[in-house]
Amino acid sequence: MAWMTYISHWFEQDDWYEGLQRVNMSQVRQVGLLAAGCQPWNRDVCAASGDRFAYCATLAIYVYQLDHHYNEFKLHAIMSEHKKTITALSWCPHNPDLFASGSADNLVIIWNVAEQKVIAKLDNTKGTPASLSWCWNAGDAVAFASHRGPLFIWTISGPDSGVTVHKDAHSFLSDICMFRWHTQKKGKVAFGHIDGSLSIFQPGNKSQKHVLRPDSLEGTDEEDPVSALEWDPLSTDYLLVANLHHGIRLVDSESLCCITTFSFPSAAASVQCLAWVPSAPGMFITGDSQVGVLRIWNVSRTTPVDNFKLKKTGFHCLHVLNSPPRKKFSNQSPTKNHYTSSTSEAVPPPTLTQNQAFSLPPGHAVCCFLDGGVGLYDMGAKKWDFLRDLGHVETIFDCKFKPDNPNLLATASFDGTIKVWDINTLTAVYTSPGNEGVIYSLSWAPGDLNCIAGATSRNGAFIWDIKKGKMIQRFNEHGKNGIFCIAWSHKDSKRIATCSGDGYCIIRTIDGKILHKYRHPAAVFGCDWSQNNKDMIATGCEDKNVRVYYVATSSDQPLKVFSGHTEKVFHVRWSPLREGTLCSGSDDGSVRIWDYTQDACINILSGHTAPVRGLMWNTEIPYLLISGSWDYTIKVWDTREGICLDTVCDHGADVYGLTCHPRRPFTMASCSRDSTVRLWSLTPLITPLQINILADRSWEEIIGNTDSAIEQGAPPLLCGKVSRDIKQEIEKLSGNLRMKKLRWFSECLSPPGGSDNLWNLVAVIKGQDDSLLPQNYCKGIMHLKHLIKFRTSEAQELTTVKMSKFGGGIGVPTKEERLKEAAQIHLRLGQIQRYCELMVELGEWDKALSVAPSVSVKYWKKLMQRRADQLIQEDKDDVIPYCIAIGDVKKLVHFFMSRGQLKEALLVAQAACEGNMQTFHVSTAKGPSFSDDIYKEDFNELLQEACRELAEWYFQDGRAVLAACCHLAVDNIELAMAYLIRGNELELAVCVGTVLGEPAAPATHYALELLARKCMMIPAWDLAADLLLMTPDSELQLVKLCAFYPGCTEERNDLHEKNTSVVQIGLWTPFTPFLTC
C-alpha cells in the first residue's frame, strides 16, 4: 500500500522496543515561529555568501539558505549567543560556512553555519566592535574597530594567533561609521567617518586620514555621515561613497579626487545604503533612507537607470548575492537554443529613450528596511523572491490573543509598536501607527470591540482601534512614569486598570473617568482582573507583596495582602477555573500559589534561576500553570504537587509574555527579548485524556469538575468552558455522535496550521453540502472539485490588468537593419517561412507568430514550442500563454514546479483535467492523433505529481497537516494518512481515519498501534491495551504489551487475562470505520 511505503521504514512491525524508544519525546513542542525583523540601529547587520544570506535582530542572527529542490530561501538557523545588541556581521570570503559577529558587550564570535555552533570567541575587545570585517588577505583573521578606533586585527588560529593593532589606523578625529578592505589589493582599507570624510591606508603608501569630505562641507563643522562605502570590484583605486545628505560619489583613492558625482531625481532623496552588482560590471544599486526606493545605477551616467518603490519605509542596508538562485528547470536538450540570435530580446528598438536604454541587471538584492522587513528582490524580474515583512526588531514584552478570535495574536514591543498577527499564516495583518516609545503591555477589549489598550514607558496609555487604524483615546494620569501593565476588564468593557512606577494602580473608565487610585508603597508592576469576580483585581508590587482590591467599594485599602516573596513581585494571574486562587512571579525566581479564601500561600514553585516574568494558567486543566523567566526558559508546572512537568529552552533570551486562547487551550504563544514569538502545542501533556476521547470512553473520564481534577494523582480532566460547550452540543444531537465528537475535540486540541483545513476536506469527501463550508475555506487548500470554480470567481473580481514593458541595450546594429530589410523582401515574395525565421532571429516573435499559420498549423505550433522553450530558458512568465495556446500542459506544469510555484502547477494540472486546456491535435497522413482519454490520463498523472510535490514541500517545512490536506484534495486518503503518521500527528490521524472510514482503515490501525506504544512510555498500560483492542486481530499485540509490562509475573498475567476476556466475551468491539457521514 502507498501509505505503508512512506512509513514502513520507520518501524519494523515486530520491533516493539525500537518503537518504544522513538515515541519517547518532549512534552511541549514548538509548532510556529514569528521570526524577528532586522535591527535598524547598526549598519553592517546584513551579509550574504553563495546560497545563504543572514541578518541581525537585536540578539540573534537569522540565516536563510536556498533550498535548491524548491528554489526558495528557508530559515536555516537562528544563532543566538550574544547577550547584548549585535553591532556588526561579516561573512568569511574564503569559507562560506564561517561568519563573524560583534556585540555591545565587547564580544566577537566566529560561527560555523553548517554545524550551527560557535567555534571561537574573543571577550573584552577593549571597546564595542561597532564595525567588523574579515581580512581579505588572511583566511583566519577578523578586523574590528570601536567608534574612534583603533583597528584591531584578531588572528583566530595559527602561530600568530591573538589580537594586534593596525599600525596606522588609530587616533581618528571623527567616529568610524564603517570600514572596507580592498578585495584585490592586499592590506588596503578605507574608513568612512561621521563627519563625512574618508581615511585610506595602504601598506607602503602614506596614510590618508580624514580626506575627501564632500565639497559643500569643507571648512565647516557640519557632519554628514558616510552611510555606505564599497570598493569598485573592477578597480584597485576607485571607491564608491555615499553620504547621508550629500549623495553618491565615485572617488579615486590614489589621486584623492572625485571622479563622478551622481544626481538624484529629488533633492529630498538621501542614500542609506549601496552595493555593487557582481553580475553587471559598472552597475550598482542604492536604497533611500526615507522611502523604500531601490535605484539602479551605471557608472557611465550620473542619473539612475531605474527606480522601484518597494516599501513605504526606508532602507536600512543592502547586499547583492554573488551567485543568485539558479532555476533547476532545463529543457531536454542541453545544447544552446540556436533559434535565438545575439541580437534578439536584449537589443531595444531605436525608439527607446535614454532612460530605457539600459537592461536591468540580473541579480538578487537582500533588502533590509527600517521597519524590520527583510526580503530578497529579483531585480531582473522586478519581483520579490522572498519577503519577511513587519517583524519586531526589539524585545517583545507582551502577547495576547483576541478574545473572539483564536487566530489573531497581538504583540507589544520595545520598538514602539503593537502588531497583530494571523497565526495560521504567521504574517502581520495590522501594525499600530507611529512610534509610542517602549510598549510594556497590551490588553484587548473584551468581545468583538476590535480595540487594544497599550501601556508605554513615558507616554502614558492609549487605546488603538485596529479597524480605524488610529488612536482613539489616551490616558496620562501617571505622568511621565512608566506604565508596566494595562488590563481591560474581562467582564466590564468600560473599565481599564493601569499600574505604574509612581506606586499607583488606577482604575478608570474608557472615557477617562478615574474610579480608584490604589496607592502602593513602591512601584506596581502587574495587575490582573479576576475572571470569576468582575470587581476583584490583584496587583504585584516592588515591596515583595501581592494585594487584592475590591473595586465595588469606595475603599482604597486592599482586602488582602499576601507576603512571602523575597524580591519584588512582577506579574500576578488569577486562575480562570479555581475561584479565589492566584499566582505571582517574582525576581526571587519563584512562583507562589495563593488561596484567597484561606488567606495563605498553598504552594511554592521553585526551579527558575532568574526573575520570573511570564505567567499563564491553562483554561481547561485547573492545576496546569506555565511560567517564563529571564533564565531563557519556559516551565510547565503541576501546581498540585509543585513539580515541573517540562522545561523548554528554545528562546535565546528572557521570556516575558505567555498566553493561550480559551477556544484553543492547548496552543500557547510566548514572546521574548530575542524578538521572536513562538507557538507551542501543550497536547502531549494530556495524552491520556486524548486517548480517552479516541477510545470513546465515558464523559466522566474526559470532562470533570475542578474539585476532582485538582486532587493529587487524578488523571487530567477538562474543566473549562470550551469542553463543556462541546459536550452540550453533542448531547443535543442524534445519529453518529462520535464523528462530531472527534472533530470538535480535534479542532480544540490541535494547534493552528491546517487542522481546520483538514477537517473541511474530510467533510467534502464525506459528501457535506458545499453551502455549509466556512467562508475562509477558499483561503486554504481546496478540494480540486472546487479549485477551478473558486479561482475563476476570484479572477472575475479583479478589475485591473497590469501591463509590463520590456527594454534592452543601446542602439541598433547594422546587421539588424540588413536582416529587417531582407525579411521584408521575403514577405513580399510570399516566402512566409523564411520571413518568420528572420523575425525570430531579430527577436520579433510576435510578428513571426502572427503570420506562421499561413505556412501551416503544424509549423505555427512548432514555432510556438520554440518560443516557449526560449522563454523557459530565460525563466520568464511570458511562457505561460504559449504553453497554454499549444496545449503543452506538461511543460507548463514542470516549469511552475521548477520555480517552486507548486500551487500554480496544481491549478494548471487541475484545469487540464477538467478540460479547460485544449490539447492541440495535429492529424497526420499516417493516422489520427491521440485520443482525449490518453491526454486525460497524462493530465491526471501530472496532477498527482504536482500534489506530491506540494505535499512534500509542506512536510519539509514542518507542516504535516497541510501536507495531508494536499492529498485529501485529490481524494488520496492513503497518502494523506501517511503524512499525518509521518508527521507524528497520531491522534489527529486516528480521528480523521475513524471519520473517513474503510479507505483509511489500515493506516488508522497502524496509528492506533503507534499510539499504544506512546501510552506504554507514559506509562499508561490500560490505555495502551484499549487502543490495541480497537484494532482487528489484536491478540498478538496484546501479548507483546503484556511482555513489556514492568510488573511482576502475576500482574502481567492479570493484565493479559483481563484484556483477553474483554475480547472473548464481547465487551469491546474492535474499531469499525464509519461508512456514512
Side-chain angles (χ1 to χ4, degrees):
M1 292 184 182
W3 66 272
M4 186 58 78
T5 303
Y6 274 75
I7 58 178
S8 60
H9 66 280
W10 277 19
F11 302 101
E12 292 297 328
Q13 189 170 357
D14 294 324
D15 193 351
W16 272 59
Y17 181 76
E18 181 183 352
L20 289 175
Q21 301 308 307
R22 289 180 182 272
V23 297
N24 188 14
M25 60 195 71
S26 174
Q27 293 285 294
V28 178
R29 63 187 178 100
Q30 185 173 311
V31 294
L33 169 70
L34 290 169
C38 182
Q39 55 150 297
W41 304 290
N42 298 292
R43 296 186 182 276
D44 291 330
V45 289
C46 167
S49 177
D51 57 2
R52 299 187 183 114
F53 71 86
Y55 68 88
C56 302
T58 306
L59 297 172
I61 301 166
Y62 287 76
V63 182
Y64 284 78
Q65 182 165 321
L66 179 66
D67 183 327
H68 291 277
H69 183 74
Y70 296 108
N71 201 50
E72 66 175 354
F73 280 86
K74 292 183 177 180
L75 182 61
H76 173 69
I78 302 176
M79 320 290 267
S80 57
E81 186 75 18
H82 292 287
K83 304 299 185 257
K84 291 190 176 180
T85 302
I86 299 170
T87 54
L89 174 70
S90 178
W91 220 295
C92 178
H94 317 291
N95 185 341
D97 287 339
L98 301 182
F99 67 82
S101 60
S103 60
D105 50 359
N106 301 344
L107 175 67
V108 175
I109 296 178
I110 310 298
W111 308 83
N112 185 304
V113 183
E115 299 178 12
Q116 298 188 26
K117 68 177 185 180
V118 174
I119 62 172
K121 273 187 182 182
L122 178 66
D123 296 304
N124 191 18
T125 57
K126 299 179 181 178
T128 300
S131 191
L132 173 147
S133 177
W134 284 85
C135 298
W136 277 79
N137 60 319
D140 61 349
V142 175
F144 57 90
S146 59
H147 294 291
R148 284 291 176 101
L151 180 67
F152 293 99
I153 298 176
W154 173 29
T155 303
I156 302 162
S157 58
D160 298 325
S161 62
V163 179
T164 58
V165 178
H166 193 284
K167 65 176 184 177
D168 298 316
H170 54 80
S171 304
F172 295 109
L173 302 178
S174 176
D175 284 358
I176 299 169
C177 296
M178 65 192 65
F179 68 90
R180 295 288 184 265
W181 293 101
H182 201 292
T183 60
Q184 300 171 33
K185 224 165 188 177
K186 184 176 180 180
K188 190 171 185 177
V189 62
F191 291 78
H193 297 279
I194 288 286
D195 66 357
S197 66
L198 304 177
S199 296
I200 302 168
F201 305 96
Q202 181 177 346
N205 287 21
K206 179 183 177 182
S207 300
Q208 303 291 343
K209 285 188 180 180
H210 301 291
V211 297
L212 291 170
R213 290 187 79 199
D215 292 339
S216 57
L217 297 181
E218 290 297 343
T220 71
D221 293 331
E222 183 182 350
E223 291 187 341
D224 185 14
V226 174
S227 57
L229 186 69
E230 298 294 342
W231 289 103
D232 185 338
L234 301 180
S235 167
T236 57
D237 301 320
Y238 289 178
L239 185 63
L240 198 59
V241 185
N243 291 82
L244 187 59
H245 304 298
H246 287 83
I248 314 166
R249 297 169 292 152
L250 184 66
V251 302
D252 187 329
S253 62
E254 290 296 314
S255 62
L256 300 181
C257 66
C258 178
I259 300 169
T260 306
T261 299
F262 298 90
S263 303
F264 282 84
S266 167
S270 57
V271 180
Q272 178 69 21
C273 48
L274 62 80
W276 291 97
V277 182
S279 59
M283 300 198 83
F284 63 94
I285 58 175
T286 62
D288 285 14
S289 61
Q290 300 299 318
V291 182
V293 176
L294 179 72
R295 303 186 194 274
I296 298 179
W297 307 74
N298 190 288
V299 291
S300 64
R301 49 183 290 182
T302 60
T303 56
V305 173
D306 214 336
N307 308 283
F308 307 121
K309 184 177 179 180
L310 303 185
K311 277 175 65 74
K312 293 181 180 179
T313 51
F315 273 87
H316 179 56
C317 51
L318 271 174
H319 200 104
V320 177
L321 290 181
N322 290 325
S323 54
R326 294 186 299 272
K327 308 301 181 186
K328 67 178 181 179
F329 187 92
S330 62
N331 284 329
Q332 292 180 351
S333 173
T335 59
K336 182 179 178 181
N337 189 341
H338 60 276
Y339 301 122
T340 306
S341 75
S342 60
T343 60
S344 68
E345 296 298 291
V347 178
T351 54
L352 284 181
T353 65
Q354 185 185 7
N355 281 341
Q356 295 172 307
F358 285 87
S359 62
L360 298 180
H364 290 69
V366 181
C367 305
C368 300
F369 298 91
L370 292 173
D371 66 355
V374 180
L376 187 68
Y377 189 73
D378 186 332
M379 293 179 287
K382 299 183 183 179
K383 66 178 184 179
W384 289 108
D385 272 2
F386 162 90
L387 181 62
R388 171 73 181 87
D389 209 6
L390 296 176
H392 282 297
V393 298
E394 248 289 5
T395 302
I396 304 174
F397 286 114
D398 200 5
C399 57
K400 297 283 193 317
F401 282 103
K402 193 172 189 296
D404 66 331
N405 188 344
N407 295 317
L408 292 183
L409 176 74
T411 54
S413 171
F414 189 99
D415 64 18
T417 64
I418 292 177
K419 299 182 190 296
V420 180
W421 307 85
D422 182 334
I423 62 170
N424 286 300
T425 60
L426 301 179
T427 55
V429 290
Y430 303 103
T431 186
S432 58
N435 188 303
E436 297 293 328
V438 179
I439 303 179
Y440 285 131
S441 175
L442 69 86
S443 183
W444 285 93
D448 58 354
L449 294 180
N450 294 316
C451 289
I452 296 176
T456 74
S457 61
R458 293 184 59 82
N459 298 319
F462 59 83
I463 297 177
W464 167 40
D465 187 316
I466 63 172
K467 295 294 185 182
K468 294 180 180 178
K470 64 180 182 180
M471 305 302 177
I472 59 173
Q473 183 63 281
R474 291 189 179 273
F475 308 115
N476 298 297
E477 301 90 346
H478 296 285
K480 291 295 183 181
N481 295 286
I483 301 176
F484 297 109
C485 185
I486 190 164
W488 212 313
S489 172
H490 314 289
K491 306 289 186 180
D492 185 348
S493 62
K494 295 182 179 180
R495 294 192 299 197
I496 294 178
T498 56
C499 51
S500 167
D502 62 6
Y504 283 97
C505 174
I506 297 179
I507 314 295
R508 68 180 62 73
T509 60
I510 57 173
D511 58 6
K513 180 183 177 181
I514 294 180
L515 303 177
H516 290 280
K517 289 185 71 172
Y518 296 125
R519 185 175 181 179
H520 294 65
V524 191
F525 294 108
C527 62
D528 190 45
W529 293 94
S530 170
Q531 298 184 44
N532 298 300
N533 187 327
K534 69 181 181 68
D535 295 320
M536 197 168 284
I537 190 170
T539 63
C541 183
E542 191 174 19
D543 71 349
K544 311 171 189 176
N545 293 328
V546 175
R547 292 171 172 80
V548 178
Y549 295 89
Y550 192 64
V551 301
T553 67
S554 59
S555 172
D556 287 340
Q557 296 302 309
L559 290 178
K560 302 279 186 181
V561 178
F562 295 114
S563 301
H565 282 295
T566 58
E567 298 290 341
K568 72 182 180 189
V569 178
F570 212 87
H571 283 308
V572 291
R573 291 288 183 267
W574 290 95
S575 168
L577 300 174
R578 300 162 64 184
E579 188 169 0
T581 299
L582 69 156
C583 67
S584 59
S586 167
D587 280 14
D588 62 16
S590 72
V591 178
R592 287 179 176 254
I593 313 298
W594 311 92
D595 189 324
Y596 175 84
T597 60
Q598 298 180 30
D599 197 13
C601 175
I602 58 175
N603 219 328
I604 302 174
L605 310 178
S606 300
H608 285 297
T609 58
V612 177
R613 288 296 179 263
L615 290 172
M616 186 198 85
W617 289 98
N618 187 266
T619 58
E620 285 289 335
I621 308 296
Y623 58 79
L624 206 60
L625 177 69
I626 324 291
S627 62
S629 167
W630 281 5
D631 63 9
Y632 302 9
T633 69
I634 298 171
K635 290 186 179 291
V636 183
W637 304 92
D638 182 336
T639 59
R640 298 173 300 183
E641 302 174 11
I643 60 174
C644 179
L645 301 176
D646 199 13
T647 300
V648 179
C649 304
D650 294 48
H651 274 297
D654 316 338
V655 179
Y656 279 97
L658 300 170
T659 186
C660 71
H661 195 283
R663 280 158 53 188
R664 202 181 271 144
F666 297 99
T667 296
M668 176 181 71
S670 63
C671 60
S672 163
R673 191 166 63 92
D674 67 8
S675 307
T676 67
V677 176
R678 297 171 191 255
L679 301 176
W680 312 88
S681 173
L682 305 178
T683 49
L685 296 165
I686 57 163
T687 295
L689 186 55
Q690 287 182 285
I691 304 304
N692 287 341
I693 296 170
L694 295 177
D696 203 22
R697 288 196 169 186
S698 66
W699 284 114
E700 287 74 18
E701 296 179 81
I702 300 171
I703 295 177
N705 59 58
T706 301
D707 292 338
S708 58
I710 61 175
E711 292 179 2
Q712 289 195 8
L717 292 173
L718 301 175
C719 303
K721 183 179 184 302
V722 65
S723 57
R724 293 196 305 271
D725 289 346
I726 291 174
K727 179 183 178 184
Q728 290 173 5
E729 289 299 316
I730 289 175
E731 289 174 343
K732 294 178 185 177
L733 301 174
S734 58
N736 195 341
L737 303 182
R738 190 181 176 203
M739 188 166 61
K740 291 290 186 185
K741 182 178 179 181
L742 288 174
R743 173 168 183 170
W744 289 345
F745 273 114
S746 172
E747 291 174 337
C748 168
L749 301 181
S750 298
S755 59
D756 291 345
N757 196 162
L758 185 74
W759 282 109
N760 288 333
L761 289 168
V762 169
V764 171
I765 292 174
K766 297 297 291 182
Q768 177 180 290
D769 191 285
D770 290 352
S771 63
L772 299 177
L773 291 170
Q775 287 185 342
N776 63 354
Y777 168 68
C778 62
K779 295 181 180 179
I781 298 172
M782 292 179 280
H783 194 278
L784 290 190
K785 74 176 185 179
H786 298 133
L787 182 60
I788 302 301
K789 179 177 72 173
F790 276 98
R791 293 300 296 270
T792 301
S793 175
E794 179 185 347
Q796 290 171 347
E797 293 175 4
L798 299 175
T799 57
T800 59
V801 178
K802 297 181 179 179
M803 306 296 290
S804 60
K805 297 181 180 179
F806 297 90
I810 306 175
V812 180
T814 306
K815 178 183 177 183
E816 182 174 307
E817 293 290 351
R818 293 201 308 267
L819 290 176
K820 283 187 175 181
E821 185 177 351
Q824 291 301 319
I825 294 172
H826 285 297
L827 181 63
R828 284 159 177 76
L829 292 175
Q831 297 169 348
I832 307 300
Q833 185 168 347
R834 183 59 184 151
Y835 168 80
C836 291
E837 293 298 328
L838 288 173
M839 287 293 102
V840 166
E841 190 172 352
L842 287 165
E844 297 189 24
W845 284 90
D846 290 344
K847 290 181 179 179
L849 291 168
S850 65
V851 298
S854 63
V855 178
S856 71
V857 175
K858 184 177 181 180
Y859 175 71
W860 170 81
K861 182 181 179 183
K862 288 180 64 177
L863 205 59
M864 292 282 282
Q865 288 174 330
R866 285 161 55 183
R867 177 59 169 157
D869 289 342
Q870 183 205 28
L871 291 170
I872 285 176
Q873 288 286 355
E874 297 172 359
D875 192 39
K876 291 185 177 179
D877 290 336
D878 293 3
V879 70
I880 298 170
Y882 291 93
C883 289
I884 291 174
I886 59 177
D888 200 340
V889 176
K890 184 175 183 180
K891 182 176 291 183
L892 185 56
V893 168
H894 286 162
F895 172 71
F896 279 131
M897 290 170 65
S898 73
R899 306 173 90 197
Q901 295 175 279
L902 302 179
K903 292 181 181 178
E904 285 79 358
L906 191 65
L907 181 63
V908 170
Q910 178 61 17
C913 287
E914 293 189 13
N916 295 336
M917 301 283 184
Q918 297 299 321
T919 303
F920 196 87
H921 297 267
V922 179
S923 60
T924 64
K926 295 182 180 180
S929 58
F930 290 111
S931 68
D932 288 338
D933 289 340
I934 294 176
Y935 281 113
K936 189 171 183 179
E937 184 177 335
D938 289 341
F939 294 156
N940 281 327
E941 290 179 5
L942 279 175
L943 180 64
Q944 296 295 332
E945 183 183 357
C947 273
R948 286 194 296 271
E949 279 284 315
L950 185 59
E952 191 63 20
W953 178 81
Y954 276 121
F955 188 81
Q956 295 300 326
D957 201 41
R959 294 182 280 179
V961 177
L962 287 178
C965 289
C966 293
H967 288 297
L968 279 186
V970 292
D971 295 324
N972 195 330
I973 293 174
E974 289 184 348
L975 285 184
M977 293 292 291
Y979 270 96
L980 289 175
I981 294 173
R982 285 179 66 195
N984 200 33
E985 299 285 353
L986 300 180
E987 293 85 356
L988 189 57
V990 172
C991 290
V992 169
T994 303
V995 174
L996 286 173
E998 192 62 36
T1004 307
H1005 299 155
Y1006 192 66
L1008 285 167
E1009 289 183 27
L1010 296 179
L1011 270 179
R1013 301 179 190 188
K1014 190 174 179 179
C1015 289
M1016 292 166 65
M1017 298 302 297
I1018 296 176
W1021 297 91
D1022 287 342
L1023 288 176
D1026 287 349
L1027 290 171
L1028 292 175
L1029 286 167
M1030 295 171 68
T1031 65
D1033 304 321
S1034 58
E1035 290 83 356
L1036 178 59
Q1037 308 292 359
L1038 289 169
V1039 169
K1040 293 179 180 178
L1041 171 73
C1042 296
F1044 278 94
Y1045 184 68
C1048 64
T1049 302
E1050 184 178 352
E1051 292 173 329
R1052 195 175 297 138
N1053 290 335
D1054 288 343
L1055 179 66
H1056 180 252
E1057 183 178 350
K1058 173 185 173 183
N1059 293 321
T1060 304
S1061 64
V1062 168
V1063 176
Q1064 289 175 345
I1065 66 176
L1067 293 179
W1068 190 276
T1069 303
F1071 166 81
T1072 303
F1074 295 117
L1075 301 179
T1076 59
C1077 186

